[in-house]
Amino acid sequence: MAPMGLASGPAFGKLRRGVLQEVENPISTRDSGRALVLSIVWQRDQQPDGEVSVGSVAAYMCIDPSVGSRMVTENIKSGYLIRVPSQLDGRRAVLQLTPKGQEFLREYRKQQRRAYEYITADWSEQDRLDFARLMLLRYVESIENLNRRPAADA
């Protein structure tokens, strides 16, 4: 078996390529993209300012604004998002989940959970808990903290 450091690169690549598409009742790439945008809007909507623009979605995803705009527009056309006037600046439009978008996100998260359970079916309960604590919680928290650190040359 390769040392953990050498094996982790290909493992992360596998996660990135969409392991959820290789399980029973796979999640489509299109639905994964939709759910990512909806999750960002939902998550940011829970923040104190509570406003999410197309630009902030693109910035959060580290993608070109035109790509972010296309992804948001697809969600709007599908009835998952709407544009509403900003409460802070009426000249701006911000995004909100529709009830249909909320339902889509709930169903997507249920499918993610089913995929996790399917993938880890032969794991011990302790392995599942350790993985969730380290990878899904601590690792993601560390990524969020990276985004808050000042630039090295600042």
Side-chain angles (χ1 to χ4, degrees), residues 3 10 22 40 71 77 79 102 104 117 133 135 138-139:
E22 298 177 18
I40 291 166
M71 293 177 79
K77 286 180 180 177
Q102 293 169 357
F104 177 90
E117 290 169 355
R133 181 179 58 79
M135 177 65 174
R138 189 169 179 196
Y139 184 80

Side-chain angles (χ1 to χ4, degrees), residues 34-63:
R34 284 180 176 163
L36 178 58
V37 171
L38 297 177
S39 292
I40 291 166
V41 173
W42 180 85
Q43 181 182 36
R44 301 270 320 241
D45 194 41
Q46 307 304 307
Q47 302 301 312
D49 72 6
E51 296 196 338
V52 185
S53 66
V54 174
S56 63
V57 169
Y60 190 86
M61 294 174 67
C62 299
I63 58 175

Side-chain angles (χ1 to χ4, degrees), residues 97-126:
L97 286 171
T98 63
K100 183 177 177 181
Q102 293 169 357
E103 179 61 23
F104 177 90
L105 201 50
R106 271 192 298 276
E107 289 303 315
Y108 181 83
R109 288 176 175 162
K110 284 181 192 176
Q111 175 60 6
Q112 281 183 309
R113 180 66 187 177
R114 287 190 297 268
Y116 176 77
E117 290 169 355
Y118 179 82
I119 291 164
T120 62
D122 61 345
W123 293 18
S124 71
E125 188 62 25
Q126 188 60 51

Side-chain angles (χ1 to χ4, degrees), residues 85-102:
S86 165
Q87 296 298 308
L88 302 174
D89 180 354
R91 298 169 294 175
R92 291 181 54 225
V94 294
L95 303 170
Q96 277 185 354
L97 286 171
T98 63
K100 183 177 177 181
Q102 293 169 357

Side-chain angles (χ1 to χ4, degrees), residues 18-36:
V19 70
L20 295 180
Q21 295 178 29
E22 298 177 18
V23 299
E24 188 176 309
N25 300 317
I27 296 170
S28 73
T29 303
R30 173 182 245 172
D31 283 349
S32 292
R34 284 180 176 163
L36 178 58

Side-chain angles (χ1 to χ4, degrees), residues 142-152:
S142 293
I143 291 171
E144 289 295 321
N145 289 336
L146 284 175
N147 294 331
R148 294 186 192 112
R149 290 183 197 157

